[in-house]
Amino acid sequence: LTMVYDAHGEGVLGKGGRGVVNHFGLEGEVDIEIGSLSKAFSVMGGFIAAKQPLIDCYLMQARQRLFSIALTIPDTAALLEAVNMLSESERLVQKLWGNVDYLRKGFTALGFDIGHSETPIIPIMLGDEDRARAFSAKLFEEGVFASAICYPMVPKGTARVRVIVSASFSQDDCDAGLAAFKKVQAELSG
């Protein structure tokens, strides 16, 4: 059996945001696909997609299912609308990737190490946990929310600030974010 857990690809990778399986041209080759609805779709929950015999087995055997609940009506409505929007046009996915490219170039021009992410999450590699926490806090004071990701979420010495790019960002938003990073970088370096 082949299973893909697609936490970050749904809504952003592949044609119209169809996810990792589509991105790599693996339709029909994956037996089980598991995804998160809390990333690109911004609702609570997740999903498992497979042929009916596998779903039936899961429904009968998975203990964790005992503690799960159905999606809320607002989450379901938001998810359905997001899927409809993505199926009607690739404009939002293209806008997202345009913003990602713009910000990657901007962070690189400012001298930041942006790692090797292939998703709309751009890591600003800072190394030191205390520096990452301080950087995140200073960014928040500047109106930019970028989480510090530190040990034990990543190995010691690889702390970073995580920038999650959105299709809703305008170029002015991107420029304001880059300016805040530049300002915080100068404050913490001097």
Side-chain angles (χ1 to χ4, degrees):
L1 290 176
T2 304
M3 180 176 74
V4 172
Y5 174 55
D6 193 2
H8 293 281
E10 302 293 341
V12 298
L13 294 176
K15 182 176 177 8
R18 288 180 176 87
V20 167
V21 173
N22 178 268
H23 178 75
F24 289 106
L26 298 173
E27 288 94 341
E29 298 181 40
V30 174
D31 300 298
I32 304 167
E33 189 172 349
I34 300 172
S36 170
L37 302 176
S38 64
K39 306 293 192 268
F41 297 115
S42 297
V43 299
M44 302 298 288
F47 66 88
I48 297 176
K51 291 185 178 173
Q52 195 61 50
L54 288 170
I55 296 297
D56 291 341
C57 180
Y58 169 75
L59 291 173
M60 296 303 290
Q61 302 294 324
R63 288 183 288 161
Q64 62 269 40
R65 184 174 173 274
L66 294 173
F67 301 105
S68 34
I69 59 171
L71 293 174
T72 66
I73 292 171
D75 282 337
T76 303
L79 175 61
L80 289 171
E81 182 59 25
V83 170
N84 285 336
M85 290 170 69
L86 287 173
S87 67
E88 291 171 2
S89 170
E90 291 192 44
R91 183 187 61 78
L92 289 173
V93 175
Q94 290 168 351
K95 173 90 166 48
L96 170 67
W97 285 102
N99 286 345
V100 170
D101 290 341
Y102 185 82
L103 286 168
R104 281 182 182 156
K105 288 174 184 167
F107 287 128
T108 301
L110 290 173
F112 288 107
D113 174 359
I114 60 169
H116 304 287
S117 175
E118 295 183 25
T119 72
I121 298 171
I122 302 173
I124 306 299
M125 307 301 292
L126 299 172
D128 181 75
E129 276 84 12
D130 291 335
R131 180 171 167 78
R133 286 186 198 96
F135 212 104
S136 176
K138 290 270 190 193
L139 285 170
F140 191 75
E141 291 172 10
E142 296 297 320
V144 174
F145 180 73
S147 300
I149 307 298
C150 302
Y151 177 83
M153 293 183 284
V154 295
K156 286 188 178 186
T158 65
R160 62 208 61 181
V161 172
R162 180 171 62 185
V163 177
I164 301 174
V165 184
S166 172
S168 67
F169 294 172
S170 67
Q171 187 167 336
D172 287 344
D173 294 332
C174 293
D175 289 338
L178 290 167
F181 270 84
K182 182 178 182 178
K183 180 179 180 184
V184 170
Q185 179 184 40
E187 287 177 9
L188 293 180
S189 295

